[in-house]
Amino acid sequence: MDEIYQSDFYSLSKNKVIQGAFEALALSATSVSSNYQSPVNKEISPAISFKFSLNGKDNELPIGKNHLVNIITDNGSFESPVIKFGQQYTDPQTPAKGVFLQPDTRFTIRLDLKHVMDEFERTGFFTTYNGTKIYKTDFKGVFVAGNTSPLIWDFDNLGNHRELELHDQDGDGIYTITLEMNKAQAQKTTASSWHLSKDISAFPQYTSEIPMMDALYNLGLEEMENAIEPDSTFRTGKEWAGVWTRDISYSIILSMATLQPKVAEYSLMRKVKNERVIQDTGSGGSWPVSSDRMIWAVAAWEVYKTTGDEDWLAKAYRIIRNSVEDDLKNVYDSKTGLVRGESSFLDWRDQTYPKWMQSADIYSSENLGTNAVHYQVNKVLSQMAVLLKDQQAADKYAALAEQIKKGINTHLWMPEKGYYGQYLYGRQFPVLSPRSEALGEALTVLFDIADAERQKSVVARTPVTGFGIPCIYPQIPDIPPYHNDAVWPFVQSYWSIAAAKAGNAEAVVQSLSAIYRPAALFLTNKENFVSSNGDFAGTQVNSSNMLWSLSGNLSMIYKVLFGIDIRESSLVFKPFVPEILKGERTLKNFKYRNAILDISLSGHGNRIQSIKMDGNDLPAATVPADLSGLHKIEIILANNQLVKGNIANVADAFSPAAPLLKIRDQLITWEKVEGASTYTIIHNGKEVAKTEELSYKALQNGEYQVIAVDSSGTGSFASEPLSVYPEQKINHIDLSLVTDKSELPYQGYSGKGFIEISKTKNQRVTIMVNVPESGTYALDFRYANGNGPTNTDNKCAIRTLSLDGAFAGTFVFPQRGKDEWSDWGHSNLVQLELSHGSHELSLSLEDWNENMNGEINQAMLDELRIIRIR
């Protein structure tokens, strides 16, 4: 029987992938043909959804409210009516069925911005729908975002797209832009055939009775060679130049430590500065808003296990230990036992977080995947310390690993769903997002964070859609595919390895197929594809020849079928071959330290009937680390029946949008959310009521949130927390009265001025506070940081808080917009138990507060806010 996998969406056989009218055919182990064509340009709706943006931010209309224009024209051009900024426009005409956007249509958008400009002149600022003030001195332009190319919904990068900026050509306050819609030259295509063109003989040679798997393995090796730069470092992807910490690390763990150990070392060292791991540029100015740089440690350990290089071990140990020690002060949460920071690899804010969450909120969140990484980092560090004979350090980091593991299983496990939640998020009283997070779920299995029963449950019950496991589930509405509504092959690879570890044969076959389908049809290892239709062209950004995707492709042979488990002092075989993949297969020229292994594997199952090396039994299926030379290994499986296992197959689905709350005279109100049938009221992190109404009376002090729930029971993200406290419970301390105020010309501060903190100014700020009554207090700062945009760069300001001379926490002041120094927001919260009386608070720049920039660690501070919450 040739068929391997069959679903309503596509099928995989030994030499063919079929998806509707599209077919990929393995002509040989070195040649594949495909007739795949992306449907993205063929039937584009004429309904164009868009909104305007001051300074490139999402600040014109509430979430879920957009302008809608139907471009129906016969002459190749269309002009919108004049739309006033902040007033939603909906086209009254409806396009007929079968009417599509014509190719090469010129679309002119007209915007009335006169009232905004008038406010700039009258008051010096304009107040957006959500109360944010945009000062005239900070105004950089007005842009348009939307759902159809060349429009994009990427507000984090919109300000960099000058081609989407509107202009007032004649000074009448009407801004316009003309766009070319459905351009013929923008058709999304891939190659129609692939033929091996590089010499891959230096690498492990794989053969089997399944031509498609053989060919895609060889495609992976060829693309791996394409991904090595002249300086012997990895290139992240065809369209992604340079070395990126998380990309190379996840790739090295999958297969690059085995295939390219020296390139792996060079690439890892490229991401080290001051003997610490570099966090790539990212949300709010990088670390510590993002903290998943530490996956570097797991990759470095993989390199050591593969090579046995003790010099590398010692070097990596110093770097990892320095980095962990910095993290201990800045991102570890002693209350939950978890680690703060953005979701590992899911680093595009709106794609996986509610829109209300700013970078300071993301820093405070405690994510599944990121915590799984930090658990394994401490486990690795402990193992390294043992090898380096530092038992005290080994015990310390082993204890930290257990602390994180306990925190994950205590705070993120959802027994009613049978898998882990996405992250804790909020402000004073964090709640758990019940979305699944695919990479994190897989890592809990692979790193043994989940026990054996939970591992089986995670694999069987985490939602999987028709084309693979989506990064998160359910999807977020009004957010285009990238991390949202998308499958990433490298994540799918980790999921495959986890499924094999959990012994779920059905999940393994489906997951392998979800990796081979896109590689065969697209004839390259793409970065991602749309979850709902499997197409590569519908995501916001994509790349061919993607390093971690090709690494995952190759790892399926090594880590799943042959079950190669490289440990610190041995290589162990744990094959996992579902019956549908039974047969003879070989893996020759596999290098392990000083040995070269020619391996044959026959049969199916996960129990070894016999294993021989050079004709002799190989005890415990274990190759010792000191083996050298060429050796022949023969593995015969017992043909045991694998547990078929369950899969949580689901339709692609979107949650409702999060409500936007308002309050007046204790009455919290919100507008009806599309698709919602009920609303869940959260008070201080706990559910207190359900209602079909659009209001709720806040009779108690505290923090309120609302979740919109649809008829299927799917909930939205919780709304932005609404803090309800009488003024006498809140103490505002004007920092310009604490130390010398800044003379910089920024606006929008709340008191008599503001202060500057930097590497040379106010390195320590001491604030005396008088506490009227003992209790739990939440502290935060109102600040500005115009050193960079909200989504990239590396100038997040970081400071240590001390209470009466003792360490009390960390404050981060992430970037809020390039040169937008009059854009004020709040830092993260730090909760303190304060007794009645006088206390000394100190905000200081310590060695462990060094950010990724190293030169600029600066913010403006307006006030300290202290709220008694208990």
Side-chain angles (χ1 to χ4, degrees), residues 334-460:
S334 61
K335 291 185 175 66
T336 62
L338 295 171
V339 178
R340 301 180 181 93
E342 191 167 39
S343 305
S344 185
F345 114 86
L346 303 171
D347 59 340
W348 187 336
R349 294 189 312 161
D350 292 354
Q351 288 283 328
T352 50
Y353 289 92
K355 280 183 174 289
W356 61 262
M357 284 183 73
Q358 302 193 25
S359 296
D361 297 312
I362 291 173
Y363 160 78
S364 297
S365 66
E366 297 175 349
N367 165 260
L368 176 64
T370 298
N371 273 274
V373 166
H374 283 274
Y375 164 78
Q376 191 68 3
V377 168
N378 281 284
K379 192 174 173 184
V380 161
L381 197 51
S382 178
Q383 290 171 291
M384 287 181 163
V386 170
L387 292 176
L388 294 169
K389 297 180 170 47
D390 186 346
Q391 192 59 48
Q392 185 177 2
D395 293 343
K396 172 182 178 179
Y397 298 117
L400 284 171
E402 287 305 308
Q403 172 185 301
I404 297 170
K405 179 178 180 178
K406 181 180 178 182
I408 292 171
N409 283 299
T410 300
H411 297 289
L412 303 183
W413 178 252
M414 301 184 295
E416 72 283 4
K417 291 184 178 290
Y419 53 88
Y420 294 91
Q422 183 183 15
Y423 46 62
L424 295 175
Y425 69 118
R427 291 189 180 140
Q428 297 170 9
F429 300 93
V431 296
L432 177 62
S433 168
R435 282 178 164 83
S436 64
E437 191 245 290
L439 180 60
E441 309 290 350
L443 295 182
T444 64
V445 174
L446 296 175
F447 296 159
D448 289 316
I449 293 165
D451 62 27
E453 286 305 308
R454 284 189 178 183
Q455 289 178 21
K456 293 175 183 177
S457 177
V458 165
V459 172

Side-chain angles (χ1 to χ4, degrees), residues 732-737 741 748-754 782 824 861-863:
H732 300 271
I733 298 176
D734 184 344
L735 296 176
S736 69
L737 303 179
K741 70 177 182 180
Y749 49 87
S750 59
K752 296 183 180 298
F754 57 90
R782 189 168 186 262
W824 300 85
L861 304 185
D862 175 20
E863 68 169 21

